[in-house]
Amino acid sequence: MAFRERFGNGEAGGRSGWGLRAQRSSLAGLSTDEQDCKQRLFQQLVKILDLSLLAGMDDKEARLQIHQVCERLMAEEALPFNASVRQRIITELQDEVLGLGPLEGLLADKTVADILVNGPNQVYVERQGKLEKTPLRFDSERHLLTIIDRIVSSVGRRIDESSPMVDARLRDGSRVNAIIPPLAVDGPMLSIRRFAVDRLTAENLVQLGTLTPTVARLLEVVVKARLNVLVSGGTGAGKTTMLNVLSGFIPHRERIVTIEDSAELQLQQPHVVRLETRPPNIEGRGEVTQRDLVRNSLRMRPDRIIVGEVRGGEALDMLQAMNTGHDGSLTTIHANAPRDALSRIESMVAMSGINLPSRQLRAQVASAIDVVLQVERHEDGKRRLVSLQEINGLEGEIITMSEIFEFARSGVDEEGNVLGRFTATGIVPKFYDHLKRRGMDPGLEVFQPGGGV
């Protein structure tokens, strides 16, 4: 698709076009004169450059072309700016033409976990689990809408008044959600959940305090022994990060099928099949749901099925897959406690339209899922595994569970850091015999009271 078709042809009008009025990012540090200079340069760039040719270049070459033209224009105007200011203006112009405007600097900052845009004049970021406001802003709602349109169109999706909500992803796998008027009352809203380019490992989580070495080793043998694992937690608790770490323990010889609403898992194995849902088109047709993909994955000869997050009727198909030979499956769910996670699965099965007796449904849940991991983001911004529980079975109408490890919280220090330690509860899980039969004995001492460090 030509550059002008994707981003506007430089003519006035059109919500998604840049227009001859320059769209300025107004990044911190630019004075009014510098911003005016940037506006004039942008107007001249649109007139001089063949933007359709830039669309066919790789990013490095296109940025070089823009840099050369900007330097020539600056020399012609004899601008009274030093070299660092000129370079900053050029970089921002490159970001406006080729990237995501004022968001480019944040996307390059590895300390930023989330980017939250509340209309054109408010941009927040999350660093180390805490929100802070930035001085960045967009020139107008049209400017922000253009950036949103650029993101969603790159993955074949659309956003407009008839379809004002969309989920998408960036090239690095970061998750994007956008919602625009009339649903967003105060202007377009954009949320970007960042994912590190370098995938986190179990060792990284140990260093961050999310796990202990003992718990990390136990999780490794649990995955390699093909137990079915459910990761539970709230928004931003680190469920997807934990799922990525768990998937890293899967042997490279196995065929893995991943199913997600928006592809964001970062698997390193050589034999991975990635499936992604598709929203309905403008006529309301062509939708492909996670349930459709789970059903299809069963015909793809998977060794492992990983569902990014169960949200609806696919929960029933996932349970049936786990109970019919597809052991070693991994998935996540939004829930505040392991027991709540099982209740949510029951509710989601009801969304499938199949009316199962309560006891029969709970028997399927108890048989399918072996381990439930609960992750939380505490007030100090750190994400921790707070509970590792085993599902024992069904007693009457109740699914019985045993907590094997817990994060025993003891308080908060003067700097607001949560105090506590990981510890074993003293319960030896039923899956311990399963691990031994597979030659993966972690040792009984791991489960002794006070263990887990």
Side-chain angles (χ1 to χ4, degrees):
M1 184 178 294
F3 190 98
R4 292 179 184 271
E5 293 175 332
R6 289 184 60 194
F7 304 129
N9 58 11
E11 298 175 356
R15 181 188 63 76
S16 62
W18 283 101
L20 282 178
R21 293 188 315 137
Q23 303 291 353
R24 293 177 295 165
S25 61
S26 299
L27 290 174
L30 288 183
S31 67
T32 302
D33 289 342
E34 292 163 356
Q35 291 171 358
D36 290 340
C37 168
K38 181 180 163 188
Q39 183 181 28
R40 293 196 308 273
L41 288 174
F42 184 87
Q43 291 173 337
Q44 295 178 66
L45 277 173
V46 171
K47 295 176 182 178
I48 295 173
L49 288 177
D50 187 341
L51 300 184
S52 62
L53 289 179
L54 287 182
M57 300 179 183
D58 61 34
D59 185 71
K60 185 176 181 179
E61 185 180 358
R63 285 179 177 270
L64 178 60
Q65 290 282 342
I66 295 173
H67 189 280
Q68 292 173 344
V69 174
C70 287
E71 283 191 330
R72 179 167 59 82
L73 292 174
M74 286 181 171
E76 290 175 357
E77 290 195 22
L79 297 176
F81 302 136
N82 60 36
S84 63
V85 172
R86 291 184 179 217
Q87 182 56 51
R88 186 163 65 248
I89 292 174
I90 292 173
T91 300
E92 292 177 20
L93 285 168
Q94 291 170 332
D95 292 340
E96 295 287 4
V97 174
L98 302 173
L100 301 181
L103 301 182
E104 283 293 321
L106 298 178
L107 292 171
D109 187 348
K110 293 184 178 181
T111 66
V112 173
D114 291 324
I115 302 171
L116 308 172
V117 181
N118 304 334
N121 299 316
Q122 284 190 347
V123 180
Y124 287 84
V125 297
E126 180 192 302
R127 286 188 175 93
Q128 298 180 345
K130 297 181 181 180
L131 288 176
E132 57 185 68
K133 188 176 181 180
T134 74
L136 304 180
R137 68 177 181 87
F138 293 81
D139 182 65
S140 64
E141 285 193 10
R142 175 176 292 183
H143 186 192
L144 177 53
L145 285 168
T146 301
I147 297 298
I148 293 174
D149 188 61
R150 183 178 297 186
I151 293 172
V152 301
S153 64
S154 67
V155 290
R157 302 195 177 187
R158 54 186 289 273
I159 187 167
D160 53 33
E161 291 77 7
S162 62
S163 181
M165 294 187 298
V166 70
D167 288 316
R169 68 179 185 277
L170 300 180
R171 285 179 295 179
D172 64 359
S174 297
R175 183 193 314 164
V176 178
N177 175 269
I179 182 168
I180 65 173
L183 300 186
V185 178
D186 298 319
M189 303 291 169
L190 178 66
S191 304
I192 301 177
R193 174 67 53 82
R194 297 288 310 285
F195 288 96
V197 176
D198 300 323
R199 189 176 65 90
L200 292 177
T201 64
E203 290 76 17
N204 297 137
L205 295 192
V206 170
Q207 293 171 3
L208 294 170
T210 301
L211 305 171
T212 65
T214 299
V215 174
R217 287 193 296 270
L218 180 62
L219 292 178
E220 180 177 1
V221 297
V222 161
V223 172
K224 289 182 176 179
R226 303 185 66 86
L227 297 180
N228 295 321
V229 180
L230 174 67
V231 181
S232 168
T235 300
K239 299 186 298 298
T240 303
T241 298
M242 180 64 71
L243 191 62
N244 266 320
V245 169
L246 294 177
S247 67
F249 297 136
I250 298 175
H252 282 220
R253 66 179 180 273
E254 297 186 12
R255 174 177 168 87
I256 306 168
V257 177
T258 68
I259 298 165
E260 303 173 83
D261 266 339
S262 182
E264 56 196 35
L265 292 174
Q266 299 169 300
L267 275 66
Q268 304 301 307
Q269 288 82 350
H271 199 163
V272 177
V273 178
R274 304 172 71 205
L275 305 180
E276 184 180 54
T277 62
R278 185 177 69 184
N281 59 21
I282 193 170
E283 291 86 15
R285 301 175 181 174
E287 181 181 17
V288 179
T289 66
Q290 281 201 136
R291 188 174 188 192
D292 298 327
L293 295 178
V294 170
R295 287 175 172 176
N296 187 78
S297 70
L298 302 180
R299 306 183 184 99
M300 300 176 68
R301 200 261 175 214
D303 288 312
R304 306 267 187 159
I305 298 175
I306 301 178
V307 179
E309 181 179 334
V310 287
R311 293 189 176 96
E314 69 272 6
L316 176 61
D317 301 280
M318 185 72 185
L319 291 177
Q320 291 177 338
M322 291 176 173
N323 279 320
T324 55
H326 293 89
D327 49 355
S329 297
L330 308 172
T331 188
T332 74
I333 191 170
H334 270 277
N336 295 323
R339 177 70 60 183
D340 293 343
L342 303 186
S343 299
R344 284 212 66 208
I345 288 179
E346 290 185 46
S347 301
M348 291 175 182
V349 170
M351 296 168 64
S352 68
I354 298 176
N355 188 19
L356 290 176
S358 177
R359 192 178 191 286
Q360 183 179 344
L361 173 56
R362 290 176 181 173
Q364 281 210 36
V365 173
S367 176
I369 301 172
D370 300 301
V371 176
V372 181
L373 306 179
Q374 184 70 34
V375 292
E376 287 184 8
R377 180 174 60 177
H378 289 148
E379 58 266 32
D380 59 2
K382 294 183 179 178
R383 296 164 172 85
R384 296 180 175 90
L385 174 68
V386 297
S387 182
L388 188 159
Q389 299 199 21
E390 177 189 38
I391 295 182
N392 298 318
L394 194 66
E395 292 185 4
E397 297 285 332
I398 304 298
I399 298 175
T400 59
M401 306 178 71
S402 298
E403 188 166 47
I404 311 303
F405 286 91
E406 65 174 344
F407 178 76
R409 180 169 172 165
S410 58
V412 180
D413 66 16
E414 295 179 353
E415 298 180 353
N417 297 312
V418 173
L419 303 176
R421 64 189 297 267
F422 293 93
T423 180
T425 61
I427 297 175
V428 178
K430 291 172 59 179
F431 63 71
Y432 176 67
D433 290 335
H434 177 76
L435 299 181
K436 286 201 302 182
R437 288 194 299 270
R438 285 180 168 262
M440 302 177 185
D441 187 357
L444 276 174
E445 64 276 4
V446 170
F447 306 107
Q448 297 304 313
V453 178

